[in-house]
Amino acid sequence: MKLRHQKSSKFINTLGGAAITFVTALPTYAATPPTAEQMWEIIQAQQKEIAALKAQQQTTEQKVEATGQAVEQTVQAVEEAALQTASTPSWAERTKVGGYGELHYNNLETESGEDINEIDFHRFVLFFGHEFNDRIRFFSELEIEHSGVEPGEINGAVELEQAYIDFDINDSLTARGGLFLVPVGIINETHEPPTFYGVERNIVETRIIPSTWWEGGAALNGRFGSGFSYDLALTSGLATPTDGDDAYVIRDGRQFVSEAVANDPAYTGRIKYTGIPGLELAATLNYQADLTQGLGPTGTSSDGLLFETHAIWQRGPFGLRALYAQWSLDGEAPEALGREEQVGWYVEPSYKINSKFGLFARYSSVDRAAGSNAPADTELTEFDAGLNYYPHEDVVLKFDYVTQDGGEGDGFDPVDGFNLGIGYQF
């Protein structure tokens, strides 16, 4: 517009100048009036100048219009580039980091008279995840237990508990491959400190279900109906000892997917219902043709079937968790030790006073030698009660009192005392 205004002003000025020239010339011809030929020459000269000025103005207008179009195209290209950048997240935006940790203080006395006064940074865990696109994701969990590893000095471990890729086949079916947690129980998959009561994890989901329990392999997760889901997994399996005090003890059979013997894989299937807010119902079967992976002497192999079921119910401030788990082993060797049946269960009511405080009580029972030939007094029972304080929803301070009874026939030394803990997740 500014250029057009300038050129229009120039055109007017030129016309004015031509008029002045014409008027100025009039006195010259006033004495001797111009002839018709002279008048025609003057008019022709003025017409040429006017035509040239019009052509120049038209060219200028075309340039201004072309410049405007170029500016508009540039603005549009910049906007499209910005929109494309916003819709395609950067590498950092598609990569997530998280974790959790917990510090424990145990002040306990065993039935045999041993005092246990320990402080232990039990777990330090980091999560790393990445979204390759809308349908392919990676997730991992790296853990340091008991502050580190130093042979002969630190009772720690560095463990890779998860490292898998999820593939969304469609909106209701996901395939998984890699190293992942077995879909069983309540805390095996969800065990961050703010998500459960008590400083230590419950004895059923550590000694019957060997949490934390992970394997390597492939799995499918499907959703159907209103709130139903299922999991199917084919993975590496356990390799339980076949002699000594730990013979056929399930927890001691974990191989941690560390050059794990894979003579006999494990098959896991779970069905879960979460269609009612605050309610979770689930049941899991895990089967392995030989829990020993064929590593023991002839006649010591044993197939194993785990059945687990649980319920979680949260109604306002009231909560309830209940779980039952049982291993059934087939074979003469585990039967001779009374370990063909291994059973555990617990009931845990809780009450949230407000968003900061929660109270709980839990009664648990574990019997790793519940078979017919078991020695006497192999059942270990435990009562816990305590308080969780949440200064933030992802930070928790814990206190609980614990007392145990029995289990001496299976090598347990019952304890009595209290625990303190602090934990976090992010």
Side-chain angles (χ1 to χ4, degrees), residues 285-354:
L285 289 174
N286 175 276
Y287 175 75
Q288 189 173 325
D290 184 4
L291 289 173
T292 72
Q293 295 290 343
L295 300 179
T298 302
T300 60
S301 63
S302 172
D303 66 355
L305 176 66
L306 168 66
F307 169 71
E308 179 274 332
T309 185
H310 68 260
I312 303 174
W313 175 238
Q314 188 71 45
R315 183 75 171 180
F318 295 96
L320 178 66
R321 289 185 173 193
L323 181 144
Y324 175 85
Q326 175 179 328
W327 279 96
S328 297
L329 281 58
D330 185 22
E332 294 181 359
E335 184 177 352
L337 300 172
R339 284 186 169 154
E340 76 273 21
E341 297 292 336
Q342 302 184 34
V343 181
W345 60 271
Y346 71 86
V347 177
E348 179 191 287
S350 62
Y351 180 77
K352 277 302 263 313
I353 300 172
N354 51 40

Side-chain angles (χ1 to χ4, degrees), residues 69-304:
Q69 292 176 351
V71 171
E72 184 176 354
Q73 292 174 355
T74 302
V75 171
Q76 184 176 359
V78 171
E79 290 177 348
E80 290 177 352
L83 182 61
Q84 183 177 6
T85 301
S87 61
T88 306
S90 67
W91 181 89
E93 290 174 331
R94 291 182 284 116
T95 301
K96 305 299 181 184
V97 178
Y100 71 90
E102 51 190 334
L103 174 71
H104 298 168
Y105 170 68
N106 308 113
N107 188 308
L108 307 169
E109 182 180 359
T110 69
E111 191 171 274
S112 64
E114 179 186 359
D115 289 329
I116 300 174
N117 292 291
E118 294 179 347
I119 186 166
D120 178 33
F121 204 99
H122 202 145
R123 298 177 180 91
F124 175 82
V125 181
L126 290 177
F127 301 142
F128 297 94
H130 183 74
E131 293 184 359
F132 296 98
N133 55 38
D134 291 340
R135 292 190 173 274
I136 303 177
R137 299 174 299 279
F138 167 77
F139 183 79
S140 65
E141 178 179 346
L142 182 65
E143 176 171 335
I144 300 175
E145 289 199 352
H146 310 295
S147 298
V149 179
E150 184 70 27
E153 297 183 18
I154 298 178
N155 299 316
V158 177
E159 299 171 336
L160 182 64
E161 291 195 359
Q162 298 188 75
Y164 63 82
I165 295 179
D166 274 346
F167 304 86
D168 290 339
I169 298 174
N170 54 46
D171 292 340
S172 60
L173 184 63
T174 299
R176 176 172 295 177
L179 185 153
F180 51 86
L181 298 170
V182 178
V184 60
I186 297 175
I187 70 168
N188 195 56
E189 292 180 290
T190 305
H191 43 250
E192 293 74 20
T195 66
F196 66 90
Y197 284 102
V199 174
E200 304 290 348
R201 298 174 183 178
N202 70 81
I203 60 173
V204 179
E205 293 190 84
T206 55
R207 297 176 181 176
I208 301 300
I209 302 172
S211 302
T212 306
W213 181 16
W214 65 89
E215 300 288 356
L220 286 175
N221 171 259
R223 286 77 65 191
F224 65 97
S226 179
F228 286 95
S229 65
Y230 65 88
D231 295 274
L232 299 172
L234 172 63
T235 65
S236 55
L238 302 169
T240 61
T242 59
D243 57 6
D245 294 338
D246 296 331
Y248 303 99
V249 171
I250 297 301
R251 186 171 184 81
D252 292 336
R254 296 180 302 168
Q255 300 192 79
F256 306 105
V257 199
S258 175
E259 298 183 348
V261 180
N263 296 327
D264 284 280
Y267 307 87
T268 305
R270 178 176 68 182
I271 185 88
K272 183 162 67 173
Y273 174 72
T274 56
I276 299 174
L279 177 66
E280 176 179 309
L281 302 173
T284 298
L285 289 174
N286 175 276
Y287 175 75
Q288 189 173 325
D290 184 4
L291 289 173
T292 72
Q293 295 290 343
L295 300 179
T298 302
T300 60
S301 63
S302 172
D303 66 355

